[in-house]
Structures are given as structure tokens and as C-alpha cells.
């Protein structure tokens, strides 16, 4: 079990595949936050821009062409960080964001189909 | 390519892994809807209840203990259907819901990590 410190609080890997057993209320609360963060088109696109960027990280300075202002980009990246989906590091003028791979893996596992379907 | 008719309109499988390339605006619009539908704790829990129910399907009559009324359960199941995540079939008094496996697979693929990370 890897504990992340993406946004100041630990994000435990959640959960078993949805097809295996129902989530508990507590698991649903925690996991819905991540889905909600990706439930906005601009935010989802920004997340994919960071995830697919060279070196696996990107700063606001790397992002253009999404049709929203730089402050809006910053705002969305912060929201993704708060949801535990991105980690950040300040280097000089810029804050660099990268995807938390274990969170992505946990969400992927949640949506995994049974192997004997 | 499998085209689904879950909620009256085709849901094309979307998209490449987020780590592969940025989503287009159109892909983000389409995919964010699914994430948004799972971004509510009660709805996510209901989705997991249907996904993990015996036979892979459930009706409102199978669902209790989620702390919300039956009409609220019905409302959330309809929202999940509208997002293309559930398919439904009326049999007698009840509407039975089941997870659209190809949609789940597409979302899982979206969150897949690169094989050579």
C-alpha cells in the first residue's frame, strides 16, 4: 500500500474492481472526488495534457491552445491536485505538475473488468 | 469498434490512454460526462452495486441500504444511463440495469498506464 501526499492529506489506493463488490459509503466519498475532478471537459483535457507531456510533467507555461486563460488553467490544475490526481513541485518561477501514477493505477483497477467475463 | 445504444445515442469507445496524447476538445466533452456521472458518491456507490450484483444486473428492488429513497435511487440510475454507463431493460414491473462493459473497458483503457513506465 502506497500512501500519497499529493495535496497535504494521504490518498489511500482505492478500491477493488467495481464489478467485485459494492463500494462502502466511505470509499465512494473518497473515490467520487477523483471522478468529479475529471468530470469537467477542460479539466479532463488539461489532465491529459499533463499526463501525456514530455517527461510526464508540465507547467502552465507548457499549456496553451485549450481556449481558457492562464489563470483558469492554474485554477484547474490546483483542483486536480486537491483531488489527489496531480502532484506539484515549484522550480523557479513555475509550478510543475505530474500525474500521480498510483492514483491513475487505482482508478484503472476500479474500472477493470473481471478476467473471466 | 462497438457502437452502443445505451441511452438513445451511440457512445463510441473513447479514447487512447491519457498518457499517450492529449484528448481533443470533443473527446474531453464526451468523456467528462462519464466521469461526472461517477463524481457523485451516491451515484458511484449505486454504480458499484449494479456492477457487482449477481448476474451483473440489478433493479431498484434489489437496492437498499444506501441511505437514500427509492425515487432518488431511480433518479441516479437514470442519470447513469444517460451518461452511457448503464443499459436498461424493462421486465414486468421493474427496470433492470446493467453496466455497459465496453464503456467500462474504454474508461479503464483511458486510465491505463504506459506498459513501459
Amino acid at each position: 500500500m502506497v500512501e500519497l501526499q499529493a495535496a497535504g492529506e494521504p490518498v489511500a489506493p482505492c478500491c477493488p474492481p467495481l464489478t467485485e463488490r459494492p463500494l462502502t459509503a466511505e470509499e465512494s466519498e473518497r473515490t467520487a472526488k477523483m471522478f468529479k475532478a475529471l468530470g469537467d471537459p477542460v479539466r479532463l483535457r488539461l489532465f491529459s495534457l499533463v499526463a501525456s507531456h514530455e517527461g510526464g510533467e508540465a507547467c502552465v507555461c507548457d499549456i496553451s491552445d485549450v481556449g481558457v486563460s492562464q489563470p483558469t488553467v492554474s485554477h484547474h490544475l490546483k483542483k486536480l491536485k486537491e483531488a489527489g490526481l496531480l502532484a506539484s513541485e515549484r522550480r523557479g518561477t513555475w509550478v510543475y505538475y505530474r500525474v500521480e501514477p498510483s492514483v491513475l493505477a487505482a482508478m484503472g483497477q476500479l474500472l477493470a473488468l473481471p478476467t473471466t467475463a
Side-chain angles (χ1 to χ4, degrees), chain A:
Chain A
M1 298 273 280
V2 181
E3 291 268 298
L4 299 174
Q5 288 285 347
E9 61 179 83
V11 178
C14 179
C15 306
L18 289 177
T19 51
E20 206 172 286
R21 65 158 174 81
L23 298 180
T24 65
E26 192 272 325
E27 286 170 343
S28 302
E29 282 288 344
R30 183 154 34 113
T31 312
K33 278 182 197 154
M34 297 185 210
F35 284 117
K36 193 175 176 185
L38 296 178
D40 174 273
V42 173
R43 211 142 59 209
L44 178 62
R45 196 159 175 219
L46 286 172
F47 184 76
S48 76
L49 276 160
V50 172
S52 63
H53 200 262
E54 207 185 323
E57 63 174 18
C59 68
V60 175
C61 57
D62 292 317
I63 295 169
S64 56
D65 242 11
V66 286
V68 294
S69 68
Q70 208 173 76
T72 303
V73 169
S74 287
H75 168 79
H76 281 307
L77 291 176
K78 264 184 218 152
K79 288 278 169 196
L80 288 166
K81 188 187 166 181
E82 281 163 22
L85 292 166
L86 294 179
S88 72
E89 190 192 335
R90 177 173 285 279
R91 289 208 295 277
T93 315
W94 299 104
V95 178
Y96 286 81
Y97 290 90
R98 63 169 52 242
V99 171
E100 282 292 356
S102 58
V103 170
L104 208 59
M107 290 181 81
Q109 178 185 294
L110 196 71
L111 297 170
L113 292 166
T115 45
T116 54

